[in-house]
Amino acid sequence: MTRLTLRLVVLAAAVLLGTCAAIVDTTKAFACSCAGISTSRALREADAVFRGTVVSKEVVGRGDAARTDIRFAVDRVYKGAVFNEQVVASEHDEDACGLDPDVGSTWVIFAIEGIEGEGDRAVNRLVTTLCSGNLPTGIAPAVLGRPTPPLSGASDSEERSINTDRIVTRGLAYVGIGALCVGALAVIGLGVLWRPGRSR
């Protein structure tokens, strides 16, 4: 076997192996990868920081739009408005950097405020990811400062209340617009039917 033939065989093998690796390993190309984030930076960037124990998880939606709503029993708050029972949303798929903690585990969570849903069903909800700097431990670093107690109640109850107010406000606006339209039509109709000085 000549040297040229050997080089061509090696080149062909390298191309073949590279092609196979690209085909077989496509899922890892889209896997979540996070740059390291310090607790100080996570604290600065978060709208809410708290310590809580996971009491339940619920998958909402399907496919790429699916998310996991994680319910925490909160005992300490380090930043923001956090309820005694706080629901935090995260991507359902870990490859999309979704957080999937075990029920019963205690975490220090760093979350930002986000909008979930569309139209009348849209709610403000805390959102977190694998890249948010969350700590899977019940021990909070000193940099978080002194904790405060959480607000009483559940965050999703508050969301439903806000959502109901939004629906009622929009409904009243529609009723008001409808009444104005009916009134305008009535005035136009009277103007057509009754004109001063019209001959009989």
Side-chain angles (χ1 to χ4, degrees), residues 32-50 68 70 72 79 88-91 94 96-101 107-114 116 125-136 141 143-144:
C32 174
S33 65
C34 301
I37 181 171
S38 68
T39 300
S40 298
R41 181 179 167 193
L43 176 63
R44 278 196 314 272
E45 294 181 355
D47 295 313
V49 181
F50 65 89
T68 302
I70 310 162
F72 291 90
K79 184 178 181 180
V88 178
S90 193
E91 291 283 346
E94 284 189 16
C97 298
L99 182 68
D100 187 23
W107 288 70
V108 175
I109 294 293
F110 299 82
I112 61 169
E113 291 182 0
E116 289 292 339
R125 177 157 293 170
L126 292 180
V127 179
T128 194
T129 71
L130 286 174
C131 305
S132 300
N134 302 309
L135 304 171
V143 71
L144 297 183

